[in-house]
Amino acid sequence: MKTSQPHEKAARPDSLQRYCMLNEAYSGEQIQAEIQQQLGFFPPFFAPAMQNPLVLQSLCQQVLQGYINNPLPNLFKEKLSAYLSRFCAVPYCMICHSCSLYSLGMQSRQILELLEASPPTETEVNRHLEFLEKQTNLLVFPEPDSDLETSLLNCAIFIALQDNRADYYRTELRRLLGTTLYQYLILFIAFIKTCHIWMEANPEIAYESDQRVQKYFHDLTEDEPALSDFFINYWERVQRDRQTWAEQQAAIAERKRTETLMRNMAVENLRLARIIAATSEGILITDPNQPDNPIVYANPAFSRITGYQPEEIIGRNCRFLQGAETDPEAVAQLRRAIQQRREIRTTLLNYRKDGQPFWNELKISPVLSEAGELIYFVGFQTDVTEQKQSEQKICEQAALLDVATDAIFVRDLNHQILFWSKGAERLYGWKAEEVLKQNVVELINPVATPQLTAALETIVAQGEWQGELQQATQSGRAIMVESRWTLMRGSSGLPRAILVVNTDITEKKQLEAQFLRAQRMESIGTLASGIAHDLNNELTPILASAQLLLMHPKIHEKKRQQLLENIQNSAKRGATLIKQVLSFARGVEGKRTVLQIRHLVSEIRQIVQETFPKSIEVHLDLPNDLWLVSGDATQLHQVLMNLCVNARDAMPEGGTLSLSAANLWIDENYTRMNLDAHVGAYVMISVADTGMGIPPEALDRIFEPFFTTKEVGKGTGLGLSTVLGIVKSHSGFVEVLSSVNSGTQFKVYIPAVQAVETLPAEEEELVSGEGELILVVDDEASIREVNQVSLESHNYRVLTACDGIEAIAHYVQHKNEIDLVLIDMMMPSMDGMTAIRTLNKIDPQVKIVAVSGLLSNTQIPEPVNSNIQAFLPKPYTARELVKTIHQVLQQK
């Protein structure tokens, strides 16, 4: 790089190295002496930092790096420094650099011209960049006063004054100069700005103390007296330059903002125009400020709907679309809305160019200026002829549907009722005018069920659904309906509504429930001998162990503990068996929940092992990842029990009973071979035996009611027909594989559902009482004693009664002390139900825990059940008793 020689007072770089390495140990006087020695004098520029050696050292370091050691030509640096100093509020820098320029050979007149020159504009800088682009070698710095130097100086001044608004010009200058030379230039500009900040923070520094001024100022101003005036009026000139520059920059910024805004508005208007032109809705714009409110714009969709071309539309009033059947009242409403400058929505009959009528769903909105003045009306129209015709067809068909006994209604995809037949009025109790536009799910399905969720998913996916649903009438009566849903689509193929046909099967289901209960009792009868055998097996160690403990009171402690554990384990097994039999016998049909088949099959296996002959070996194969199903646990329990009983009867000499389950996805190929199957996920349950098998001639009839291959008196023929009915009610199907003397396999398929299995909670630690008084009522003395010991061992006080009469007497006497009543439902003299009613009349706030070995909480009459806080089925453990008591006492 070609550079000019430094002026005579510039220090040599190598002579300042020690100066750069000054450390914190140096005092201000020592640093001053070092600068004095290296520069020949101590510039007043450094004077304000004398009291802080670190600041003085930093200032000197910046002068060294940014100015003295910067390889840019000294004349170029001084020109740039002098010009930029015009914008510093203190004249020190400008006067000192002007004197430096004079020392480097510039004439006073040239210096004044430089200082008075206007800042370069964006247009001028673009021209200078174009000039630099044409230069072949910018790595050699230009000669003084050349055109190339002038262009570089103007570009440097522009990017220095523009701050962050000249990113493009900085990028271009870096590209033209190269990274190294550009970095020297940026470093020098940063140094000049730092000097200005320092001087404005220390305005007391006198430029007269600087040696450059002392040596050259007199000659400088004498050669060009105007320079003296320039310096004298410096402050006014600085303010004027700053204001002029700020106004210039503000004007440029405003122009750019306006240009950007106009470009954005043009782009947005183009985008809106394209959207309006592409929309399927007809759009009209009218001008209410012209006579007769004529149309000034119509989009292509309006022409497609009406058949009129744009030249036939523009300039006309919209009334040309009206015809003989157009409703005058609707037209009058439109006119009133336009006169009142308000928005309106309506539907009216219009006519196309060819004379064909169409239903026009119309929305008209006023467009106002910021001052509130009416500018336009914008109209949006949608052709709803098809929808109107569909609604008319529905209304025409309604008269035919009203004679049907089934409940028929139409609902849209948001569950709103669109049509409600007379049959629906008769079944549910609501009149059509009461339910139209209401949410049908909230109306007749107050409780969400898995079947309802599955129905909504299936109708969207497959277009149809049928099944059984629990619903409610206007009076709150619970009913069961057989429901058939069909998805209704428009001409475009998109779903529009759902047609629902519901048949009341409440009485039918009640009869079926009675039949199923009777069939369950038949199954229990076939298990009776096995149950008796197993109960005797459990009672034998209880009786024997108890007798040993009574006969040998001083028996060894270890043996005593073993006998007590035998009694406890045998009692638990017997209680579990009785609970399972009672649960199966009671059965509560119609309640569908999300079930894990693995648990049902495991329960059946336990009953089978405890009741079937020991000659039958039971195998179980259940994967841990079985899917969940939605179903009635009692009914599915009955299905498996019936199949297992049939398998037992098929193996009189013994054999193997295999219970298994698996996940299965059924595809379209499978459904073609089995008409009862549907595409989707199923859980398959298999019950297989190694028995005598089913003859081919009987295989096709096994599901017929009252058909049986058993001897007279050993079967009613209702077992398999019950199985088939229950499985079909769960939307499933059954397959049978059998061969004479080679066994039989029944495969039951139940649709799977997506749900999360609820895991059993970990057993909680029992919480003892706080001395509460519990009234224990039971006619069995042993139960009273055990309950009393259990409760007292957990810090409760206990008062006992042998029947309802004694319980009432105790409660009247200790009403203010008794915190809870534990009462058996089956007692002589006065049973539990009567006692509970009486206790509630004495104290409506009494807390009651009911106990029974035969009844369930669902079998207790509602008036009594509503007064019971908890139900505890016999037999129960001490843990269950204490936990239930604690939970009820915590209730408020």
Side-chain angles (χ1 to χ4, degrees), residues 723-773:
V723 167
L724 185 62
I726 292 175
V727 172
K728 282 192 172 183
S729 72
H730 284 75
S731 301
F733 60 96
V734 182
E735 288 183 346
V736 186
L737 302 174
S738 185
S739 179
V740 176
N741 298 325
S742 295
T744 302
Q745 181 184 21
F746 282 86
K747 293 182 179 181
V748 176
Y749 297 83
I750 304 295
V753 296
Q754 291 183 348
V756 178
E757 182 177 359
T758 303
L759 299 177
E762 295 184 1
E763 194 171 83
E764 300 177 358
E765 184 178 351
L766 288 180
V767 180
S768 297
E770 298 180 357
E772 295 94 335
L773 181 61

Side-chain angles (χ1 to χ4, degrees), residues 770-776 795-800 810 814-821 889:
E770 298 180 357
E772 295 94 335
L773 181 61
I774 311 299
L775 175 58
V776 177
N795 200 31
Y796 291 101
R797 294 180 296 134
V798 178
L799 188 64
T800 61
H810 281 319
H814 302 280
K815 175 183 177 182
N816 296 328
E817 299 178 56
I818 294 174
D819 296 287
L820 182 144
V821 179
L889 288 174

Side-chain angles (χ1 to χ4, degrees), residues 82 162 242 245 269 272 402 462 622 689 814 862 892:
Q162 285 287 351
R242 283 185 171 180
W245 178 252
N269 289 340
L272 291 175
D402 283 343
Q462 301 180 9
L622 297 174
D689 63 64
H814 302 280
E862 181 59 31
K892 294 183 180 181

Side-chain angles (χ1 to χ4, degrees), residues 342-353:
R342 60 179 173 83
E343 183 176 282
I344 183 173
R345 290 173 179 265
T346 188
T347 301
L348 73 163
L349 190 67
N350 282 160
Y351 289 83
R352 296 185 174 92
K353 183 179 179 180

Side-chain angles (χ1 to χ4, degrees), residues 101-102 105-112 220 223-224 227:
L101 287 172
Y102 190 77
M106 276 189 74
Q107 298 178 7
S108 299
R109 179 183 53 79
Q110 293 174 316
I111 295 173
L112 180 60
L220 175 68
D223 291 348
E224 182 57 65
L227 262 177

Side-chain angles (χ1 to χ4, degrees), residues 6-11 13 16 39 41 43 45-46 59-82 93 96-101 103-104 184 187-192 195 212:
H7 64 77
E8 56 186 349
K9 294 299 181 182
L16 294 177
L39 298 181
F41 76 103
F45 179 78
F46 295 108
L59 196 59
C60 295
Q61 181 78 12
Q62 292 181 49
V63 172
L64 175 67
Q65 292 179 346
Y67 180 61
I68 296 176
N69 283 348
N70 194 313
L72 296 177
N74 284 347
L75 184 59
F76 179 85
K77 289 191 291 186
E78 293 299 334
K79 284 182 179 180
L80 183 57
S81 299
C93 293
C96 290
H97 287 301
S98 296
C99 291
S100 293
L101 287 172
S103 73
L104 291 173
Y184 287 140
L187 178 63
F188 185 70
I189 291 173
F191 167 72
I192 294 173
C195 290
R212 291 171 290 180

Side-chain angles (χ1 to χ4, degrees), residues 106-132:
M106 276 189 74
Q107 298 178 7
S108 299
R109 179 183 53 79
Q110 293 174 316
I111 295 173
L112 180 60
E113 289 175 354
L114 171 67
L115 295 177
E116 288 184 331
S118 299
T121 65
E122 191 172 319
T123 302
E124 292 171 341
V125 173
N126 284 327
R127 188 167 60 251
H128 288 305
L129 285 175
E130 291 176 3
F131 175 74
L132 293 175

